[in-house]
Structure formats: C-alpha cells, structure tokens
Amino acid sequence: MFDFDRVIERRGTHASKWDNMARLSGITAPDAIPMWVADMDFAAPPGVTAALTADVQRATHGYYADTGSWAAALVDWMSRRHAMRIDPAWVSPTPGIVSGLGLILQAVSAPGDEVVVFPPAYHAFRKIIVANERRILDAQLAEQQGRYTMALDALRAKLTPRTKVVFLCSPHNPGGTAWSRDELAALANLCAERDLILVSDEIHCDLVFGSAKHTPTMAAAPHVADRLITCVAATKTFNLAGAHVGACVVSNSALKKKLDSRIAASGLGSYNGFGMAATEAAWRTGEAWLDALLPYLEKNRDLFDARIEAAAPGARSMRLDGTYLAWVDFSATGLAPEDVAARVAKRARIYASPGEQFGPGGTNWLRFNFATPRPILEEALDRLDEAFADLRAGKARARS
Ligand SMILES: Cc1ncc(COP(=O)(O)O)c(C=O)c1O
C-alpha cells in the first residue's frame, strides 16, 4: 500500500540532507550517500500530499486562522497512540521544536543560568543553550548492558543555584533509549527537589519499535506537571521537517503565560499555513502509513546493525528502542577516530554525523540515519563493507 522501497530523487530540490552534504562534509563525490540529518527519504503520507495539493490548487495563501482544529488533531493523536491526556488549552504551537526550546529558555531562565543536558545528546540542544547565552551542564549518560542510563546522583552533586532547566530527549537521540517509567519519575523527583523546569522533548515518540514503548514524561510523573513542558511534533514521525511546526504542551497556566509572552514578543503567534495544514493532515490521516513505516524501519535497523558489525569487527551499534538513527561505537575496532571517519567519508562516500557533535562521550562514534529506501541502504552497507575490508583481512590474518 505504501512503497517505502521507491527511490525519490531529492538532489537539487533544496533537501538539506542531500544538497547541503558537500558543503558541510566536504564529500563531493556525485554518488555520495547522506546518512546524517534526521529526515527520511520516503514520501509523506498520501493524506498530507492531498491536503497540500488542495491548498496549492485553491491558490490563495493568506494568513492562517487557528480555529483549534490543529490542537484537536494533536490531542487526538497523542491520546490514541500514547494514552497521553492533553487539554488543548495547554498547547502552544512554535515554529519547530528547537525554536520552542529557545523560547522556553528565554521564558524561564536568565543569561548565565545552567541548563542540564544528557550527553551524548542531540547537538541542537547544545547550540540553542549557547546561542541564548545560557551554560551547558553536562550530565554524562552511563552505558549499562548496551543502553544508556541517567546517572542522577552524579548530576545531583553537580547542580548549582544557577541550574534552572533540564533538557531531556525522550526517546533519546542518539542511542534510541526509550526511558522507563521509573527512570522518568526519578528524574522528575530530582527536578522537584531542586526546583528545576523539566523540558521533555518527545519529538521521536512515535518512532519506537517492537516491544519497546514510549512513556510520556507527563504520564510517568504527573506530580511534576507544574514544572513540566513537553515538546511534540508531527514533523519527525511523518517526514515533514521542512514544515517547521511543533508544539509546547504546558499544563501550568502561569508557566504557559510566560512562554506565550516570549512567543508574542518574537512575533510568532501567527502560524505558517502550509506547515499547519501538513501536520494536521498527518495526525488525522497518517496512522496506517506510520503503522506500515515502523516495521520497514525496524528491518532497516536490524539490517544496518548486523552488517555494520560484520563489516568492521569491533564496531558496535547500540540497540535502538526507537528513532532511525543508528549510533555506532568504533572504539574497539582498534582504528583511530580519524581513520574511521576517513573510511566512511572517503572510501564509502557516506556522510554520517560525527559523534563529537553530540558532546562528551561521542568520540569515535558515528550516527547513521537509516530512514532511506532499502536499495540505498544496501548500497551504503556494501560500501561500508568494502571500506573496512582490509581491517577484516588484517584481523583474520592475526587470528591464523
Ligand atoms: C530530539 C530532537 N529534537 C528536535 C529536533 C528538531 O526539531 P525541529 O526541526 O522541529 O526544530 C530533532 C531533529 O532531529 C531531534 O532529534
């Protein structure tokens, strides 16, 4: 019903993933494969295309009237998929999640205040904190039995009176960790104990595989509702990143008022009609598409993990509960980080996200986006296989 194997030519279409690759990575080969930024190479759900086509054919593109239907679609979706009970009055749309994070920082902290992040963590967290003249407080994730865990006692010891906000990524990017109810509740308790605002970025919540489950922080920790801001969007789930629409969900009305005043101060209270139409249509019509996409992505994950670990002996791809971003540790290959990077970029002609981008704990890791049609993924894996062939041969010789 949905053809995720179909290869769509995205070069020359202002697709950042393809058209910014050479400039950002220096990989100029015409057959280079982008496995960096987190969007997918699949067509969006047909209902989204229909909604946008109707807009285009009507050909009137004036200001957007927010009648409440967008928030209603979001509320229905989150209730159906995640048993998350949201009152539409709690919803503030923002032009994307990262801009929402910046507005939150402006609403609840001052320059020089500290913001907790759990590295390795989504690099835009770091950038938006620094751009807003706040300081990053790193709470290094620990790895236990192949998954990340939060070291909350170590974090507690680092907190200062200037620490005001915690940025949690749930599920985590990179590493794909779906945090458990207990883990979320423990973090929430620490936030209550130390009077911190907890921002739970749940943009990847719909992209969780198999028996793994996303638990909304709101559901795990209702006792901290007054200090919780949940960020959600349809853009990651339905491949609409260019629509640039997200939402902050804030049940504390005083806190929401502070955020809304920052939104108003930046002139962001009027929304992009194309983005609103696309994302509302996605929530309303995209469920069958998503249900078909998830097993496709899960198969890509399994294929990627098996083949990268076989290609580069010692490499380990963290088992993702969710997200389509494989997180691979090359440190046990015996190769220097520059050597690994050169093999991937020069020999395989693949642009993967360098691990250092994600803060401490990312050295000699690479993040690979596998949300691409299988023919492209298989080509990428064949090239990675070749790029590490001499490493395999050397290790085989050493064994014999
Ligand atoms: C955790 C996380 N938050 C936010 C974003 C981006 O959100 P937006 O494009 O809406 O700013 C991403 C994109 O990869 C992400 O991984």
Side-chain angles (χ1 to χ4, degrees), residues 38 96-98 122 169 173 201 203-204 236 244:
I97 297 290
V98 175
Y122 176 48
C169 188
N173 167 19
D201 175 349
I203 194 170
H204 293 278
K236 200 64 62 183
H244 258 293

Side-chain angles (χ1 to χ4, degrees), residues 147 150 177-186 213 215 220:
R147 81 185 276 280
M150 292 181 255
T177 321
W179 304 111
S180 72
R181 189 169 284 268
D182 286 352
E183 287 170 318
L184 294 167
K213 196 176 165 343
T215 305

Side-chain angles (χ1 to χ4, degrees), residues 219-253:
H223 57 293
V224 300
D226 268 5
R227 59 181 66 255
L228 176 66
I229 300 179
T230 303
C231 300
V232 289
T235 47
K236 200 64 62 183
T237 308
F238 296 104
N239 203 26
L240 305 170
H244 258 293
V245 184
C248 295
V249 179
V250 198
S251 65
N252 174 337
S253 56

Side-chain angles (χ1 to χ4, degrees), residues 20 29 59 85 136 149 153 161 170 175 179 186 199 251 255 282 290 293 298 306 338 360:
N20 278 332
R85 308 279 168 241
I136 298 167
T149 57
D153 287 337
S170 177
W179 304 111
V199 181
S251 65
L255 184 57
L290 178 63
L293 174 75
E298 191 175 355
E338 315 76 65

Side-chain angles (χ1 to χ4, degrees), residues 379-400:
E379 169 67 22
L381 288 164
D382 288 347
R383 291 192 203 171
L384 288 166
D385 205 56
E386 257 177 64
F388 291 96
D390 59 323
L391 177 73
R392 289 197 301 283
K395 292 206 174 181
R397 269 197 307 279
R399 273 198 307 274
S400 62

Side-chain angles (χ1 to χ4, degrees), residues 142-178:
E143 208 184 320
Q144 275 174 10
Q145 284 146 9
R147 81 185 276 280
Y148 281 131
T149 57
M150 292 181 255
L152 294 185
D153 287 337
L155 170 58
R156 181 181 279 103
K158 280 177 117 178
L159 297 173
T160 79
R162 293 303 299 267
T163 317
K164 303 289 184 201
V165 183
V166 174
F167 279 177
L168 174 72
C169 188
S170 177
H172 195 70
N173 167 19
T177 321

